[in-house]
């Protein structure tokens, strides 16, 4: 693909399209919607972490004035879940609850207070079961019954086991001069979007409309159809202006289904807005994860083999977990060249709020571990950690041992930028001051859809008529600015300004299907679909204009600056409509088959990976253990920056969120209860905790991204966390091998060091897990870049093994 | 009669000077200013993230000073001037802070934005040339999960410089 000059809107910084509405309080979020005769819904949630429901008596609640309807699990018996392999949730549980916060009953009433009072008046009789609260407990046989008693066929609480060996591990370790093992723990944490989840449903003319603060209208649409037993053509899901997701609004949720059901039962609109406490229970956040690494290296630090084991605490339900477990292990190879790689992972059920995808989805844990592990290897060999990492960087346009295809890769450039800007090599060396360096990679959208189908992942329509151009796309702008990116792409191709493009997004009645805003996929996938649709439209406009001008060579017709040939864009629209009739073009994007010839190869491939490198500067006080971040330098290989202002915004937000995870955020439980389901006690960085961030955008022009673009929403979070830990080691000579790095842990590590023990704080061992025999996979030729049909022909297998 | 449980709920008529206009409403006395603004007066520009006084999202100005509307009862502020985000712009023209926030991408999801803007407004009124540290300090009670605060800081500085210049 040729890269057009940046004469148009691509590559320019435009503020977001709805910026004015947002600063004026005019943007309409889900909870801002109020419809005539609207009822308010409250959900009664389990107060026990693990219990059988013996009976539910709502008779007293029903008698309260103002209560209009009450439903329980009996009214919504069909189970659902985001992945086809994990249909293990109910909108309301009928027989059993699995975590404190599990939904049990729902009330629709004239106001929220009445609904809440009615919830309190519902009597639920429970038979308590033994709660399972740790990975170690979950690996053992269940005391009374497994948490997913009927969904799982096992007697323990293991949800998912994966085991792979790519290449010859034994030979790899045999070739090593040095072998090292390390254990790490990554604590769970949550998205904490500022907006509490909210959904409002209305049932009119036999059609259900739902407005929701969701990241994926399509997945909500599917879940509603399944559980409410309505054909999809009777349901319309509209993404309201979005108050923050970070992965936390990517699953379909109980409250979305419940308001739909209540609206159908009562004939009145019904709204449910979660309280902040309920948001903590809705969760789907970072999996607490134990990691064990064993790596062989040559004397000069080249990796010869790596063996990684991970164990993920999944909480009570599947959510995206079957994918999350893969993500803790798959992407290590797209940053470092690992000639032989064994990866074993397990995800267990526990009686906690379900974990799922949070910014970085499964990869921050693995990234944290591998970066610190390589640091330790370098120190042990007496080598510079940065140099060791660099020696192992993957090469652009290569294939990894686990069949992932790397295209553009700006690791070297990113590394050079942050090292130079931070003065890393010349940093001030004194006790209490340190710098840490780390790198990462992330996917520009997953290569495989979460439910098996052969359709595009993104579909876009462009319509032109005498009133101008409109782009229709199912993607949801969740604050990252994807609407502006779509407008810029259309504007670039049509030669107009982004503000002159009308956008209709995230409305299942109006927009073609898009798999939504998660997995860092919108710019790449919806962008490519928009590009195709807009180019087709441009061709029609140019043809009509050339015809009118009597020009035979279409190349002679210039498009840009609001003009097509000698006509204004508006005139061109009239000319083209006159010439062709109604004008509508479409574009779609489906990633090619990239994964290798083995079961499970669908998790990890992406049409392009973004790369980041970061240096973090810290002050770490050896007396108090307090770690203060002075500054973060981050360079991000964005492929091409379609809108630098928005990209930098994503990078800064990712760095901030990474710092929160590194230093303070943790979702902890005690006696079956969430310890901190409030914003005051769940610590997240305030304005005062957030240091200056210096961002460098590196452009590598990816061959498959729209104009060469790759993702920015998730990757930049990843290197920050291990870089903070490395900086603490640089400052104090001790390792905190788990997140978050609290002052207490720093002091414990210093204490260990003072007592002559290993200078670290962190997990000591990794539990025994019945991973089973690995699937052994022969590595591809490392320069084999084939994808799609060509690749499949090479291994003679149909796509979709997953 | 309000229907909460089966007991009478005391209601009161409250008068506020809201965004320069006198408004009068009848509401249960225990209903917070946040709820009254959003539900009774239709001013949904004021957002909420916790309704417990923890996040700063619901900030409004009372007598020009930031207050968490989720912790204020309307009766407490009877007759006093209340400014919400809807009252920040002068007609069609944005307040310089609003313009700077929109321009620099200080609003991503935009959910924390109304609260941030109002706190910043009161800061700049008291201190037209705040230092970076003073801006950070003033806004430390308002959480934002999208921006890492960086663009918000730049936007407040830009607005301050423009306001001082005019
Ligand atoms: S909603 Fe008032 S402080 Fe959070
Ligand atoms: S812009 Fe989303 S919370 Fe601040």
């Amino acid at each position: 693909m040729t890269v057009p000059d940046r004469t148009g809107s691509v590559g320019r910084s435009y503020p977001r399209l709805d910026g004015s509405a947002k600063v004026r309080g005019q943007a309409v979020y889900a909870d801002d919607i109020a419809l005539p005769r609207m009822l308010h819904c409250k959900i009664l949630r389990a107060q026990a972490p693990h219990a059988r429901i013996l009976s539910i008596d709502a008779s007293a609640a029903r008698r309260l004035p103002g209560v209009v309807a009450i439903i329980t699990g009996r009214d919504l018996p069909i189970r659902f879940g985001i992945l086809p392999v994990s249909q293990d949730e109910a909108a309301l549980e009928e027989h059993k609850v699995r975590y404190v916060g599990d939904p049990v009953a729902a009330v629709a009433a004239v106001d929220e207070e009445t609904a809440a009072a009615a919830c309190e008046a519902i009597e639920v009789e429970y038979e308590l079961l033994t709660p399972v609260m740790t990975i170690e407990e979950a690996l053992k046989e269940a005391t009374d019954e497994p948490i997913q008693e009927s969904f799982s066929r096992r007697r323990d609480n293991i949800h998912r086991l994966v085991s792979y060996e790519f290449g010859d591990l034994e030979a790899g370790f045999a070739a090593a001069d040095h072998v090292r093992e390390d254990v790490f723990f990554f604590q769970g944490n949550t998205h904490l979007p500022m907006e509490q989840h909210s959904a409002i449903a209305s049932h009119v003319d036999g059609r259900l409309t739902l407005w929701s603060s969701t990241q994926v209208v399509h997945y909500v649409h599917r879940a509603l159809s399944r559980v409410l037993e309505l054909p999809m053509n009777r349901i319309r899901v509209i993404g309201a202006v979005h108050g923050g997701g970070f992965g936390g609004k990517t699953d379909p949720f109980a409250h979305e289904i419940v308001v739909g059901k209540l609206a159908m039962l009562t004939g009145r609109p019904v709204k449910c807005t979660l309280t902040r406490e309920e948001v903590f229970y809705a969760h789907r956040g970072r999996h607490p994860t134990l990691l064990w690494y064993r790596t062989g290296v040559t004397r000069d630090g080249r990796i010869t083999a790596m063996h990684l084991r991970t164990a993920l605490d999944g909480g009570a339900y599947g959510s995206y977990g079957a994918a999350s477990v893969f993500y803790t292990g798959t992407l290590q190879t797209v940053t470092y060249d690992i000639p032989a790689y064994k990866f074993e992972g397990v995800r267990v059920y526990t009686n906690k709020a379900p974990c799922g995808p949070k910014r970085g989805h499964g990869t921050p844990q693995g990234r944290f571990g591998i970066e610190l592990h390589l640091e330790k290897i370098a120190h042990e060999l007496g080598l510079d950690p940065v140099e060791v990492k660099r020696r192992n960087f993957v090469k652009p346009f290569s294939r990894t041992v686990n069949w992932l295809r790397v295209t553009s890769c700006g690791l070297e450039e990113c590394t050079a930028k942050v090292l130079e800007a931070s003065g890393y090599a010349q940093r001030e060396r004194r006790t209490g001051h340190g710098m840490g360096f780390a790198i990462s990679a992330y996917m520009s959208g997953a290569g495989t859809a979460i439910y098996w189908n052969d359709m595009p992942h993104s579909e876009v329509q462009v319509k032109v008529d005498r009133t101008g151009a409109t782009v229709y796309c199912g993607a949801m702008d969740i604050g990252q600015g994807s609407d502006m990116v779509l407008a810029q792409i259309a504007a670039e191709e049509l030669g107009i300004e982004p503000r002159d493009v009308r956008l209709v997004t995230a409305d299942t009645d109006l927009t073609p299907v898009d798999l939504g805003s998660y997995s860092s996929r919108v710019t790449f996938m919806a962008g490519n679909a928009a590009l195709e649709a807009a180019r087709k439209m441009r061709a029609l406009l140019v043809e009509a204009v050339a015809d009118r001008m009597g020009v035979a060579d279409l190349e002679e017709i210039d498009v840009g600056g609001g003009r097509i040939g000698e006509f204004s864009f508006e005139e061109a629209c009239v000319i083209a409509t006159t010439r062709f009739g109604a004008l509508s073009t479409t574009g779609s994007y489906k990633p090619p088959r990239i994964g290798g010839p083995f079961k499970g190869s669908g998790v990890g491939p992406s049409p392009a990976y973004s790369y980041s490198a970061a240096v973090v500067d810290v002050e770490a006080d050896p007396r108090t253990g307090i770690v203060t971040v002075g500054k973060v330098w981050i360079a991000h290989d964005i492929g091409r920056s379609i809108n630098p202002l928005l990209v930098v915004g994503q990078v800064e937000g990712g760095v901030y969120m990474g710092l929160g995870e590194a230093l303070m955020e943790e979702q902890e439980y005690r006696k079956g209860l969430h310890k901190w389901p409030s914003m005051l006690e769940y610590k997240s960085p305030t304005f005062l905790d957030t240091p200056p961030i210096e961002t460098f955008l590196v452009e590598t022009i990816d061959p498959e991204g729209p104009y060469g673009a790759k993702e920015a929403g998730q990757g930049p979070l990843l290197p920050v966390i291990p870089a903070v830990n490395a900086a603490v080691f640089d400052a104090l000579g001790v390792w905190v091998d788990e997140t978050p790095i609290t002052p207490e842990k720093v002091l414990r590590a210093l204490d260990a060091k003072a007592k002559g023990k290993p200078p670290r704080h962190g997990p000591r061992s990794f539990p025994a897990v019945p991973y089973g025999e690995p699937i052994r996979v022969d590595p591809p030729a490392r320069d084999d870049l084939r994808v799609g049909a060509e690749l499949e022909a090479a291994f003679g297998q149909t796509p979709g093994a997953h | 009669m309000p229907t909460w449980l089966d007991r009478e709920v005391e209601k009161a008529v409250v008068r506020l000077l809201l965004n320069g206009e006198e408004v009068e409403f009848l509401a249960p006395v225990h209903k917070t200013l946040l709820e009254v603004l959003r539900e009774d007066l239709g001013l949904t520009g004021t957002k909420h993230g916790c309704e417990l006084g923890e996040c700063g999202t619901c900030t409004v100005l009372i007598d020009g000073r930031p207050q968490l509307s989720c912790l204020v009862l309307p009766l407490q502020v009877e007759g006093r001037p209340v400014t919400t985000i809807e009252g920040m712009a002068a007609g069609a023209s944005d307040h310089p802070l609003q313009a700077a926030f929109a321009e620099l991408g200080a609003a991503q999801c935009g959910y924390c934005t109304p609260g941030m803007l109002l706190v910043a407004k009161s800061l700049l009124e008291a201190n037209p040339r705040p230092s970076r540290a003073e801006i950070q300090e003033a806004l430390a009670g308002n959480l934002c999960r999208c921006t890492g605060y960086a663009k918000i800081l730049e936007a407040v500085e830009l607005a301050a410089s423009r306001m001082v210049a005019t």
Side-chain angles (χ1 to χ4, degrees):
Chain A
M1 172 187 144
T2 55
V3 180
D5 289 341
R6 288 194 241 178
T7 49
S9 53
V10 163
R12 297 224 314 256
S13 285
Y14 292 89
R16 38 180 317 116
L17 287 168
D18 58 3
S20 173
K22 282 181 171 169
V23 298
R24 286 173 160 255
Q26 293 166 328
V28 181
Y29 299 78
D31 189 47
D32 299 340
I33 300 170
L35 297 173
R37 300 186 70 235
M38 180 175 83
L39 298 171
H40 296 263
C41 165
K42 282 277 172 209
I43 294 175
L44 174 69
R45 292 174 185 272
Q47 294 181 347
H50 195 193
R52 286 195 195 103
I53 299 173
L54 300 180
S55 66
I56 302 179
D57 180 0
S59 52
R62 276 184 219 282
R63 286 195 296 273
L64 291 178
V67 171
V68 181
I70 298 182
I71 54 173
T72 63
R74 207 170 300 168
D75 301 293
L76 292 165
I78 299 174
R79 301 190 84 77
F80 69 98
I82 186 68
L83 298 185
V85 293
S86 307
Q87 304 289 305
D88 59 3
E89 296 182 52
L92 299 170
E93 291 295 340
E94 190 180 351
H95 302 296
K96 182 166 158 178
V97 293
R98 298 176 181 82
Y99 69 100
V100 170
D102 222 355
V104 172
V107 178
V110 292
D111 55 36
E112 264 189 292
E113 273 180 313
T114 307
C119 280
E120 267 177 48
I122 298 172
E123 304 271 356
V124 185
E125 204 188 331
Y126 290 112
E127 177 193 338
L128 298 184
L129 300 170
T130 314
V132 178
M133 300 305 289
T134 66
I135 293 170
E136 288 78 4
E137 282 165 35
L139 290 168
K140 292 188 200 133
E141 188 158 323
T143 317
D144 15 53
E145 65 179 39
I147 295 166
Q148 287 289 351
E149 75 294 346
S150 51
F151 191 76
S152 164
R153 270 178 244 111
R154 306 181 61 101
R155 281 295 306 153
D156 53 31
N157 279 296
I158 289 177
H159 168 215
R160 220 50 183 178
L161 284 163
V162 299
S163 181
Y164 290 92
E165 189 174 323
F166 301 97
D168 190 342
L169 201 77
E170 215 178 302
F173 277 116
D177 298 315
H178 181 75
V179 175
R180 184 183 166 93
E181 289 178 17
D182 281 303
V183 190
F184 302 98
F185 176 62
F186 199 106
Q187 176 61 294
N189 52 54
T190 200
H191 319 80
L192 203 78
M194 294 312 297
E195 176 200 35
Q196 301 147 237
H197 307 46
S198 181
I200 170 167
S202 161
H203 192 239
V204 176
D205 280 338
R207 307 178 82 89
L208 181 71
T209 303
L210 183 95
W211 292 260
S212 184
S213 52
T214 178
Q215 293 178 235
V216 194
V217 289
H218 178 60
Y219 295 159
V220 176
H221 198 189
R222 277 170 56 86
L224 288 175
S225 169
R226 175 185 170 101
V227 182
L228 299 177
E229 297 180 274
L230 281 177
M232 288 177 95
N233 65 30
R234 300 285 169 77
I235 304 172
R236 176 181 188 184
V237 181
I238 302 173
V241 175
H242 204 275
F246 318 110
K249 295 172 180 167
T250 318
D251 289 59
F253 284 99
H255 67 277
E256 294 170 317
I257 295 165
V258 158
V259 292
K261 182 74 182 179
L262 286 168
M264 289 166 70
L265 285 175
T266 62
R268 295 171 67 171
V270 180
K271 177 157 79 178
C272 182
T273 301
L274 302 190
T275 63
R276 179 52 63 179
E277 185 177 350
E278 287 178 291
V279 174
F280 278 94
Y281 301 146
H283 192 43
R284 319 287 156 150
R286 188 82 71 225
H287 287 75
T289 303
L290 269 166
L291 306 107
W292 173 88
Y293 285 83
R294 180 164 190 260
T295 299
V297 290
T298 60
R299 217 160 281 117
D300 60 355
R302 269 177 219 281
I303 299 169
T304 61
M306 182 178 285
H307 184 179
L308 166 62
R309 290 184 174 140
T310 66
L312 290 75
D313 179 346
Y317 293 94
S319 182
Y320 284 83
S324 317
V325 62
F326 277 96
Y327 283 131
T328 57
T330 44
L331 295 197
Q332 271 78 351
T333 55
V334 298
T335 51
Y336 297 117
D337 185 356
I338 303 169
Y341 183 45
K342 184 169 182 184
F343 167 56
E344 296 170 302
V346 63
R347 182 182 192 264
V348 298
Y349 290 120
T350 55
N351 292 109
K352 305 181 191 174
C355 298
K358 183 186 172 193
R359 208 172 197 165
H361 191 190
T363 72
Q365 295 96 320
R367 180 54 47 194
F368 175 74
I370 195 171
E371 293 296 310
L372 296 189
H373 182 54
L374 290 180
E375 292 269 334
K376 293 182 186 213
I377 287 172
H379 288 296
E380 212 165 50
L381 294 175
L383 299 172
D384 172 14
V386 176
E387 203 35 55
V388 166
K389 289 179 183 180
R390 265 183 151 158
R391 277 180 199 159
N392 289 291
F393 280 176
V394 289
K395 301 281 168 296
F397 300 97
S398 61
R399 202 161 212 126
T400 70
V401 71
N402 55 341
W403 287 78
L404 303 179
R405 184 198 54 163
V406 173
T407 54
S408 58
C409 167
L411 264 183
E412 274 297 346
E413 297 91 315
C414 289
T415 298
K417 283 262 190 250
V418 292
L419 290 180
E420 194 198 313
S422 64
Y424 179 87
Q426 305 83 38
R427 66 191 178 279
E428 185 195 351
R429 287 165 197 271
R430 68 175 150 80
T431 302
H433 175 259
M435 281 193 186
F437 164 83
I439 58 150
S440 67
Y442 200 71
M443 308 179 296
S444 303
T448 317
I450 60 162
Y451 68 96
W452 167 239
N453 71 82
D454 228 342
M455 290 178 281
H457 293 205
S458 284
E459 301 165 25
V460 168
Q461 293 170 349
V462 173
K463 181 199 79 172
V464 157
D465 59 21
R466 66 194 77 179
T467 72
T470 312
V471 174
Y472 299 84
C473 176
M476 175 77 225
D477 192 322
I478 57 171
Q480 84 280 44
S482 62
D483 280 359
M484 179 45 106
V485 171
L486 294 173
Q488 277 179 263
I489 290 173
E492 173 80 35
E493 294 304 318
L494 301 177
I496 55 181
E497 280 296 306
R499 291 215 165 257
D500 296 329
V501 177
R502 278 166 296 185
L503 269 184
V504 179
T505 51
D507 179 331
T508 60
D509 260 15
L510 305 180
T511 58
V513 171
D514 179 272
L515 298 185
S517 289
Y518 72 107
S519 185
S520 273
R521 53 177 300 289
V522 182
T523 292
F524 200 97
M525 299 197 182
N528 265 326
L531 186 57
E532 184 187 327
R535 283 193 175 152
K536 287 184 190 165
M537 182 57 77
R538 172 186 165 125
L540 291 173
L541 294 169
V542 166
E543 190 186 333
V545 164
D547 208 32
R548 176 70 61 92
M549 286 165 63
V551 174
D553 183 3
L554 299 184
E555 298 283 309
E556 278 176 33
I557 307 292
D558 287 335
V559 178
R563 302 195 67 78
I564 297 181
E566 60 189 34
F567 298 101
S568 71
F569 180 74
E570 290 71 22
E571 288 165 338
C573 292
V574 170
I575 293 166
T577 311
T578 310
R579 166 92 160 72
F580 297 113
L583 288 172
S584 176
T585 56
T586 60
S588 27
Y589 181 78
K590 188 176 100 172
R593 161 98 194 214
I594 298 167
F598 57 93
K599 189 169 178 291
S601 69
V603 191
S606 172
Y609 298 95
S610 75
Y611 287 90
S612 313
V615 168
V616 173
D617 174 284
V618 306
E619 290 290 334
D621 189 329
R623 292 165 307 129
T624 61
I626 292 174
V627 174
T628 315
V629 176
K631 185 163 177 178
V632 178
W633 295 263
I634 182 146
H636 182 67
D637 163 18
I638 178 70
R640 177 184 291 241
S641 169
I642 290 179
N643 184 326
L645 179 75
L646 296 178
V647 175
V648 170
Q650 286 303 294
V651 174
E652 290 170 344
V655 169
Y656 147 88
M657 204 163 264
L659 290 174
E661 298 196 26
L663 293 168
M664 60 188 87
E665 295 188 33
E666 52 183 327
Q667 176 118 323
E668 258 285 21
Y669 289 79
R670 187 164 54 202
K671 295 189 178 154
L673 290 178
H674 192 303
K675 256 166 112 175
W676 303 299
S678 88
M679 289 178 124
L680 197 61
E681 290 154 300
Y682 178 91
K683 300 275 180 264
S684 67
T686 69
F687 225 120
L688 289 169
D689 303 312
T690 310
I693 300 161
E694 194 171 336
T695 302
F696 303 92
L697 300 183
V698 168
E699 297 200 320
T700 49
I701 314 298
D702 189 79
E704 283 174 37
Y707 307 100
K710 302 191 285 190
E711 76 89 36
Q714 306 192 67
L717 171 144
L718 297 159
V720 175
I721 305 163
V724 173
N725 291 51
V728 170
F729 177 78
D730 197 39
L732 298 176
V734 295
W735 290 109
V736 177
D737 289 333
E738 62 176 60
T739 65
I741 311 172
T742 59
E744 194 190 352
K745 292 176 190 169
V746 173
L747 292 180
R748 284 210 189 133
L750 284 168
D751 196 43
K753 187 183 177 190
K755 290 187 176 134
K757 293 185 195 155
R760 70 184 284 267
H761 174 79
R764 296 225 171 83
S765 61
F766 190 90
V769 178
Y771 288 116
E773 269 303 296
I775 295 176
R776 284 179 222 285
V777 181
D778 287 334
R782 306 307 280 280
D783 58 355
D784 183 353
L785 297 177
R786 283 177 297 181
V787 296
E790 255 184 85
L791 177 69
E792 277 157 28
F795 49 72
Q797 204 183 312
T798 46
H802 183 30
Chain B
M1 187 194 83
T3 58
W4 191 46
L5 293 178
D6 40 8
R7 64 187 168 80
E8 286 279 338
V9 172
E10 199 188 330
K11 285 191 160 192
V13 175
V14 183
R15 247 171 249 108
L16 294 181
L17 192 58
L18 184 58
N19 298 326
E21 290 168 17
E22 280 207 23
V23 296
E24 189 178 280
F25 55 88
L26 176 72
V29 289
H30 64 279
K31 209 167 176 180
T32 65
L33 179 60
L34 171 71
E35 292 166 323
V36 166
L37 287 171
R38 291 179 51 84
E39 294 163 17
D40 298 67
L41 301 175
L43 297 186
T44 54
T46 304
K47 304 297 180 215
H48 53 81
C50 66
E51 296 158 270
L52 292 166
E54 300 172 347
C55 68
T57 309
C58 66
T59 305
V60 299
L61 301 182
I62 295 169
D63 290 322
R65 306 264 293 276
Q67 298 261 341
L68 301 175
S69 65
C70 70
L71 298 184
V72 171
L73 297 178
L75 273 177
Q76 296 174 287
V77 294
E78 171 118 64
R80 287 155 65 190
V82 175
T83 307
T84 68
I85 190 65
E86 289 89 349
M88 195 162 163
S93 51
D94 285 336
H95 186 282
L97 277 162
Q98 291 174 308
F101 267 58
E103 225 174 288
L104 296 186
Q108 285 187 21
C109 82
Y111 202 77
C112 70
T113 307
M116 289 280 181
L117 281 168
L118 290 167
V119 177
K121 177 177 189 287
S122 110
L123 170 71
L124 296 189
E125 274 159 20
N127 178 1
R129 288 187 179 81
S131 66
R132 291 209 139 189
E134 284 168 334
I135 297 171
Q136 287 175 303
E137 182 83 41
L139 291 169
N142 291 63
L143 294 177
C144 171
R145 284 299 266 182
C146 297
T147 62
Y149 306 104
K151 294 278 179 280
I152 297 176
L153 186 62
E154 286 170 36
V156 175
E157 286 185 319
L158 177 64
S161 68
R162 285 178 181 165
M163 285 164 75
V164 167
T166 50

